[in-house]
């Protein structure tokens, strides 16, 4: 598990690599939540995420709540079919803005 935080223009890009599960969730949470600031624009690159558990979904839900409370916006992209199925089944596809590519996310945040 690894979380990379990058910045492109005025957008913060989070990239989760490999797994977001019960073993990595707390570490990701401690890095992700403090990086969300007032009126920010965020992109979550999930192109290298291979597995997500309920603990991982919880971390993303906490991030979504913080994003909304700070009047910010976060868009997810690059999900594999398996990860997308998990989001659909858990109802998370209605909570998050999800697009196919980083370019699409950047255009949305314009």
């Amino acid at each position: 598990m690894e979380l990379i935080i990058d910045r492109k223009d005025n957008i913060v890009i989070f990239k989760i690599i490999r797994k977001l599960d019960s073993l990595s969730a707390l570490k990701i949470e401690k890095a992700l939540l403090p990086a969300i600031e007032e009126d920010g624009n965020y992109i979550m690159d999930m192109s290298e995420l291979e597995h997500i558990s309920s603990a991982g979904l919880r971390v993303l839900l906490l991030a979504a709540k913080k994003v909304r409370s700070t009047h910010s916006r976060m868009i997810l992209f690059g999900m594999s079919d398996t990860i997308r199925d998990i989001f659909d089944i858990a109802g998370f596809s209605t909570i998050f803005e999800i697009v196919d590519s980083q370019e699409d996310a950047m255009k949305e945040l314009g």
Side-chain angles (χ1 to χ4, degrees):
M1 173 294 312
E2 184 178 1
L3 174 68
I4 297 171
I5 301 174
D6 197 8
R7 187 175 292 272
K8 188 172 185 177
D9 300 323
N10 64 336
I11 298 171
V12 177
I13 303 168
F14 301 112
K15 183 173 189 171
I16 302 173
I17 299 175
R18 284 189 282 290
K19 297 180 179 183
L20 182 50
D21 56 16
S22 59
L23 297 175
S24 61
L26 186 59
K27 184 177 179 181
I28 294 285
E29 180 180 336
K30 287 183 178 183
L32 180 64
L33 295 183
I36 297 171
E37 301 172 355
E38 190 76 26
D39 294 323
N41 286 312
Y42 303 93
I43 294 174
M44 180 75 66
D45 179 351
M46 304 184 79
S47 62
E48 292 187 43
L49 182 65
E50 299 167 359
H51 173 75
I52 189 165
S53 71
S54 59
L57 290 172
R58 179 190 154 279
V59 170
L60 294 181
L61 184 59
L62 290 172
K65 287 181 178 181
K66 184 166 184 185
V67 164
R68 286 193 181 105
S69 74
T70 60
H71 308 290
S72 301
R73 199 166 164 207
M74 179 183 288
I75 298 176
L76 283 56
F77 80 90
M79 288 183 189
S80 68
D81 291 341
T82 303
I83 300 295
R84 182 61 191 245
D85 287 345
I86 292 168
F87 268 66
D88 291 344
I89 291 166
F92 276 53
S93 298
T94 61
I95 296 171
F96 291 94
E97 293 181 71
I98 302 171
V99 297
D100 291 329
S101 69
Q102 183 172 336
E103 293 162 352
D104 292 340
M106 297 289 279
K107 285 179 190 174
E108 285 290 321
L109 294 174

